[in-house]
Every structure is written in structure tokens, then in C-alpha cells.
Amino acid sequence: MTFRKGMLLGTAFLAGAVLGPTALHTLGHVTNVSSALARDTSHDNSAETVRLLTLFGTVMDVVKSEYVHPVSDKDLINNALDGMVGNLDPHSSYMTADQFKDMQTEISGKFGGLGLQVQDESGHVRVVSPIDDTPAAKAGIQPGDFITMVDHKSIDGLTLDQAVRKMRGDAGTPISLTIVRPKTGKTLNFDLKREIIHVQIVRSALYGSTAYIRLTEFDDDLENAMHTAYRKLQAEAKTRAPGGKLTGLILDLRSNPGGKLDQAIAVSNDFIKDGEIVSIRGRHPENNQRWDARGTDITDGLPIVVLTNGGSASASEIVSGALKDHHRAIILGEKTFGKGSVQTLIPVGDQGAIRLTTARYYTPSGRSIQGLGITPDIPVAETHDDDSFEYREADLSHILTNIGGNRTVAQPRTDLPPIAKSIPKAPPANWPAFDPAKPATDFQLQQGLKVLSALAGVPVPTELTTATAPDKHDTPAHKPSGTH
């Protein structure tokens, strides 16, 4: 029997899909299961293993005979498998055949949902991030919110998959969510309507002579869509930008939960001419890999500022880490999520699939960001008094340890422009509330433009108050892991 490995870098479950789209599109590396299992047989026939398997059978017999109502062998074993894999770390999970089928069906097309990336946290459903321009984002649901009720019925005690199924539904149908916002302790109710979720994976805008590109997830078509957006901005700059050309790039990775490893490598390669991009190291040395840049830079060396926040995870952190280590870009914003692990999708015959953590990844400097995240070169908070509850990988239960990487203390960069010292760490108290349709309210973007303009030696754009919101590129996109 063979299985196919797909390397995944998503961070959450898509409420509306059992797993993210990145899981379905595998890299095509095929390995023999029996040979993989044969690598470690030291415990296969030990007395302790036999004793524990006997205990498993005993517990199953007791539950079958004494539980308050009959329970099938299938349900008991599926529950056991779910616990076996799901308790390893926050990103590993077991899927039944039906769950796997649901994932494949929803990822291949459109679905009615709310646009929330969610994750299980100690038995509760926690919001990782709302997706741009979806019902959840428009309603004001925030990262860190706990969903406690769906249609006024408690979801306490449900698995993440069961809770997600309650939030799915036909487009246009109403749904009510009750959430708890941890930092304020408030309970809030949201009356929403499900919509067909179209994830716009790339957005772009031209601010003066600065190109702005936002990547919302690392899906199959991301690099191609990014190239299209950049070429469009180059063409616009010829007639609209002072001097008729681009002078810098802002790459916005805020609240990007990750996606496919190969896309993270491809995007990094588009800005780094040579040197390591990322490496992965797992249990078996023969599976360790390293990826190097191939000598391309689509900007021809223009200065780059990367915007990050606590929702920038996984694949976003690979790109941020590579550009930071190579001093190819300045990272501005907030510390990233800190997910430094790689998951592999392993179909198990016709019985389902396992999403299993199989490796850690390391930045070019040899650092693992697992539980630590990427620290910005220029720290800038999103708001003056953020009432959302920030949480990261380190706040999750039973996370993977950070081992095997470069443990030396990272030295502050010495190549930052002088303006970096004058950039405020947070907006003033009277700063307007952020509105995605009004770039002038985006404090981190404004500071990024100042830094880029200083690097390029051009004036800071003054027309942000009238600039339009970033364009949407309708590149077909699947849904990130963990959205509904």
C-alpha cells in the first residue's frame, strides 16, 4: 500500500471545510507505508505495547456493554483514532472517510459560509482570523474570539468538525453566532447570512510610486496571481507614478494563515537572488530537504517592506523569515504567529486520512520559529488600544517543542534607515478606526510607506485619504485550512 505526502503550512481549520485546501493538493512524493513503519520496530512487539493494546480492548468492551445507550464499534474506534492523532499537537488530526470526502468536495468548489478561520483550543472553537470581505469580517468578528453558540444553541462539548458543520449551510441562509471576546470579557451576538466564499488571494494598489500587494493565503495559484498584480502595477506606474516607475514594494502578509510550502518557496524566490530559502527537518534524516533561490528578483532590487501581525502564520512566516534573514526586506508590524511545523496529508486506504506533523522548518539562519514567531525589525501595533485577544502558537495546548535550530541571540539589524528610529510603536489615541476601504486609516501601512519612501529617496505619498482600497484579483482560489 502506498500513500501520498502533501506538505502543508496552514494554521487552522476552515469552518465550512474539515481541512484547508492546501491539504488536498499534494506534492506527489510517494512512500511505501510498510517500509516507513519498518523504520522503527523497537516497540512493535514489546510486552508494554501488548499490555496497552489489551487495555484498549478491555476499555472498548466495557464501554460497549455498560454505556447508557448502545455504541457502535465504528464510533468507538473513530473516537480513539481522533484522540490518538489530535492530541499529538494542535495541527495533527484524523479524518473519517466522510470528513475526508467533505474536505475534497468543498475544496474543489464553492460553499456557503461566513469566512472564518477557526481552530480548536482546549475543546473550544477559537477564531484565528476572519477572511477579507466576508460576512464574518464585515460583522466585526475578531481574531481570538471564542464561538460559544450557533443559532442560540451551545456548541460546548462538540468536536471542531461538529461545530464547523453547524456553521456551514447554503448561501443566503441566516445564522446567529454568539462569541466571547476574552480580553474584554464581553459576550456578543452576530446575526449573519452565509455567502459563497470567494477568497481573493491577491490584492494590489499603487500609492505614489510604491507598489502594494496583499497576499491572503498561499494557495496553488498565488505566485501567478502575484506576478499578474505586479505587472499591472508596473504598467500603472508608467502613467500614474512620479517618475513613471515603481520605487518600492509593500508586501502585506497580515492575517495570512499560510498554505502550501511550494508557494511559500516560490514567492520567496521571486525576491531573493541566491541563498537558502527554507529547510525542513523531520524524524528521518533522509526526508530532510533544503530549498535555495534560483537567481530571480521580479523587482530588480527595489526596497521591500513586509507587513506582519499575529495572524501571519506558517507559509507567511517562511517568506518573512527568508526575506528578513537575507536582509532583502524590512519586517514592520507585530510578531507573527509562530507555527514552525509542516503537516503531511496521508490518505489511509478508503477509510479516511491523517493530517500529521512530520517536520519542523528552519529559516536561512537556521532558526526554528516554532512557538516564537518572526520578530519585526520595526515594531508597530495595529491599534492604540486593541480590544482583540491576541494569541499565538505558544498559547495553544500541547504544542510542538522548539528544538534543533540556531539558538544564538539574534542581533539587531544595522542596515535600517534612520527613519526607523522615529516610527511610532502604536497609533495615537485619536487615530480613526481601521476601515479596509480607507487606506488612510491603516496605521501600519502608513508607517510602511514612510520607511519605503525613505529607502527610495522619494516623497511619502500624500493621497492616501482619497486612494481606493486595494484591487481584487479574481484568481480562482481554494479555502485556507480552517474556514467557514
Side-chain angles (χ1 to χ4, degrees):
M1 179 173 61
T2 61
F3 64 81
R4 173 170 289 191
K5 283 187 171 182
M7 294 183 182
L8 323 172
L9 293 164
T11 183
F13 281 86
L14 188 64
V18 177
L19 213 97
T22 53
L24 186 59
H25 304 287
T26 63
L27 300 186
H29 177 72
V30 179
T31 307
N32 187 277
V33 170
S34 59
S35 64
L37 295 176
R39 288 169 172 157
D40 185 4
T41 59
S42 57
H43 302 292
D44 287 351
N45 297 310
S46 68
E48 178 67 4
T49 300
V50 172
R51 186 186 71 81
L52 291 173
L53 289 174
T54 302
L55 176 62
F56 177 88
T58 301
V59 171
M60 184 173 171
D61 287 341
V62 170
V63 173
K64 281 189 63 178
S65 63
E66 302 298 332
Y67 189 63
V68 65
H69 61 72
V71 186
S72 69
D73 289 348
K74 180 179 180 180
D75 286 343
L76 290 175
I77 292 174
N78 279 337
N79 289 343
L81 292 172
D82 184 58
M84 178 196 301
V85 181
N87 285 326
L88 294 173
D89 66 72
H91 308 292
S92 294
S93 60
Y94 167 75
M95 291 177 286
T96 65
D98 287 342
Q99 291 169 336
F100 190 29
K101 182 178 179 181
D102 283 348
M103 180 199 74
Q104 293 171 306
T105 299
E106 293 191 3
I107 288 170
S108 64
K110 304 171 183 177
F111 68 94
L114 303 176
L116 279 175
Q117 296 155 356
V118 297
Q119 188 167 37
D120 177 81
E121 171 57 17
S122 302
H124 303 288
V125 179
R126 198 173 201 173
V127 176
V128 173
S129 179
I131 299 173
D132 294 350
D133 290 335
T134 60
K138 294 173 184 176
I141 297 177
Q142 298 180 358
D145 287 347
F146 282 102
I147 300 173
T148 60
M149 302 180 77
V150 177
D151 288 332
H152 309 291
K153 294 181 180 179
S154 174
I155 59 173
D156 186 44
L158 299 184
T159 65
L160 181 62
D161 177 59
Q162 290 170 331
V164 162
R165 285 171 179 265
K166 286 186 174 293
M167 288 184 270
R168 291 198 302 246
D170 295 333
T173 56
I175 181 173
S176 174
L177 294 185
T178 302
I179 66 100
V180 172
R181 188 154 290 164
K183 193 169 184 178
T184 64
K186 293 180 180 178
T187 298
L188 304 172
N189 293 307
F190 295 90
D191 292 319
L192 309 166
K193 279 191 176 181
R194 299 177 177 93
E195 294 179 2
I196 297 297
I197 304 300
H198 300 279
V199 180
Q200 306 297 334
I201 57 176
V202 176
R203 297 160 178 259
S204 65
L206 183 66
Y207 299 123
S209 58
T210 297
Y212 168 89
I213 294 181
R214 170 164 170 73
L215 309 181
T216 62
E217 67 171 78
F218 285 80
D219 203 354
D220 277 323
D221 300 309
L222 178 67
E223 188 197 20
N224 288 334
M226 185 183 74
H227 283 194
T228 299
Y230 189 73
R231 287 193 296 268
K232 178 183 177 184
L233 292 173
Q234 285 180 310
E236 289 181 6
K238 291 180 179 179
T239 57
R240 291 181 48 202
K245 62 180 180 179
L246 298 176
T247 57
L249 169 67
I250 287 183
L251 188 65
D252 190 350
L253 298 179
R254 291 175 296 179
S255 298
N256 183 322
K260 292 197 66 178
L261 174 60
D262 61 343
Q263 289 297 299
I265 294 167
V267 169
S268 300
N269 185 66
D270 284 332
F271 305 113
I272 299 172
K273 287 189 174 182
D274 55 65
E276 181 179 335
I277 292 174
V278 67
S279 62
I280 62 170
R281 307 174 205 168
R283 180 176 177 180
H284 305 293
E286 63 268 27
N287 290 336
N288 295 349
Q289 289 182 267
R290 166 178 162 162
W291 290 267
D292 292 323
R294 300 190 304 268
T296 60
D297 181 350
I298 64 173
T299 72
D300 290 326
L302 293 182
I304 300 173
V305 168
V306 177
L307 303 182
T308 63
N309 64 6
S312 306
S314 211
S316 297
E317 295 174 289
I318 284 181
V319 174
S320 302
L323 295 179
K324 177 184 174 78
D325 282 1
H326 283 283
H327 289 198
R328 181 61 190 90
I330 292 173
I331 313 301
L332 185 148
E334 297 171 296
K335 187 169 71 171
T336 61
F337 188 79
K339 180 182 178 293
S341 61
V342 179
Q343 282 66 48
T344 299
L345 181 67
I346 308 173
V348 187
D350 58 357
Q351 300 302 309
I354 302 171
R355 185 180 194 248
L356 194 65
T357 299
T358 53
R360 295 174 177 85
Y361 72 77
Y362 299 83
T363 70
S365 62
R367 297 184 184 280
S368 166
I369 60 90
Q370 173 60 24
L372 300 177
I374 301 292
T375 301
D377 301 309
I378 303 177
V380 179
E382 293 185 61
T383 64
H384 174 73
D385 186 19
D386 193 354
D387 66 351
S388 65
F389 184 78
E390 294 184 358
Y391 82 105
R392 293 176 170 82
E393 177 86 1
D395 300 312
L396 302 177
S397 59
H398 55 275
I399 68 168
L400 197 68
T401 55
N402 184 310
I403 61 173
N406 181 353
R407 309 295 293 186
T408 61
V409 177
Q411 297 300 311
R413 289 180 61 165
T414 59
D415 61 339
L416 298 180
I419 196 174
K421 296 180 180 179
S422 65
I423 296 296
K425 295 187 182 300
N430 61 348
W431 190 262
F434 172 66
D435 183 343
K438 299 177 180 179
T441 65
D442 189 336
F443 188 74
Q444 290 173 325
L445 170 61
Q446 299 249 22
Q447 306 317 303
L449 287 168
K450 289 180 182 179
V451 173
L452 262 185
S453 298
L455 288 170
V458 299
V460 178
T462 58
E463 298 181 355
L464 273 180
T465 53
T466 57
T468 58
D471 294 332
K472 301 175 186 178
H473 292 270
D474 296 324
T475 302
H478 301 294
K479 316 304 173 289
S481 58
T483 310
H484 78 77

